[in-house]
């Protein structure tokens, strides 16, 4: 009985970008500044953690790859989803977004911790790098 009372409920399996967006949209709602988050996933794509990496200003935030992958390694993630918001409501990725995503994908491959997608979140929707052929 004690074990049942203390067990963590099993998390939902994430199979597409919409699942991730529905899971995180409240974390990003009504923000007037940028934030960067990372979700760590198990081998079966169940969520192991949802960590805030950085908070920034209205037009950007710092996403340090070392901090991102440290958090993922700490949660024993097998893969990850990158997330950040655009307070402006613009869904298209910037050149900096594209460059950062490319670098993080390369590093993830080196340490066998793949980046499965990168979502840009706004109050009205999301942009998935995978769904839009950017990964």
């Amino acid at each position: 009985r004690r074990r049942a009372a203390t067990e963590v409920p099993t998390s939902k399996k994430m199979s597409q970008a919409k699942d991730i967006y529905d899971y995180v949209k409240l974390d990003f709602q009504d923000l007037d500044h940028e934030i960067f988050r990372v979700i760590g996933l198990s081998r079966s794509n169940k969520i192991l953690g949802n960590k805030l990496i950085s908070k920034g200003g209205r037009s950007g935030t710092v996403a340090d790859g070392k901090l991102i992958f440290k958090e993922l390694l700490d949660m024993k993630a097998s893969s990850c989803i990158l997330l950040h918001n655009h307070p402006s409501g613009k869904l298209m990725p910037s050149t900096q977004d594209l460059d950062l995503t490319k670098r993080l994908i390369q590093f993830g491959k080196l340490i066998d911790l793949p980046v499965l997608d990168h979502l840009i979140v706004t109050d009205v929707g999301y942009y998935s790098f995978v769904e839009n052929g950017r990964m």
Side-chain angles (χ1 to χ4, degrees), residues 5-128:
T6 61
E7 280 186 7
V8 177
T10 51
S11 62
K12 184 178 175 188
K13 185 175 180 178
M14 299 290 129
S15 58
Q16 55 188 333
K18 175 101 171 74
D19 296 335
I20 294 291
Y21 173 71
D22 289 340
Y23 178 77
V24 300
K25 64 184 171 185
L26 293 178
D27 293 336
F28 291 94
Q29 199 165 25
D30 299 326
L31 293 177
D32 63 354
H33 60 280
E34 276 200 29
I35 63 171
F36 194 98
R37 300 185 78 86
V38 66
I39 292 179
L41 300 171
S42 70
R43 289 220 181 272
S44 60
N45 287 344
K46 291 186 179 177
I47 294 176
L48 299 174
N50 175 4
K51 295 286 185 166
L52 176 66
I53 300 298
S54 65
K55 287 183 182 182
R58 290 183 163 274
S59 61
T61 188
V62 175
D64 186 338
K66 294 178 286 298
L67 293 175
I68 292 167
F69 283 98
K70 179 201 178 299
E71 291 291 347
L72 292 166
L73 292 169
D74 287 348
M75 68 177 83
K76 298 174 179 57
S78 294
S79 60
C80 69
I81 307 286
L82 308 173
L83 306 124
H84 79 281
N85 66 323
H86 283 173
S88 67
K90 182 179 174 191
L91 284 172
M92 293 305 294
S94 67
T95 303
Q96 294 87 356
D97 295 339
L98 296 169
D99 292 343
L100 174 67
T101 303
K102 184 186 287 186
R103 285 195 323 268
L104 294 175
I105 288 169
Q106 290 171 345
F107 187 73
K109 285 179 183 176
L110 284 174
I111 64 168
D112 194 29
L113 204 162
V115 175
L116 300 181
D117 203 348
H118 183 169
L119 269 62
I120 297 171
V121 180
T122 70
D123 286 344
V124 296
Y126 69 95
Y127 178 95
S128 162

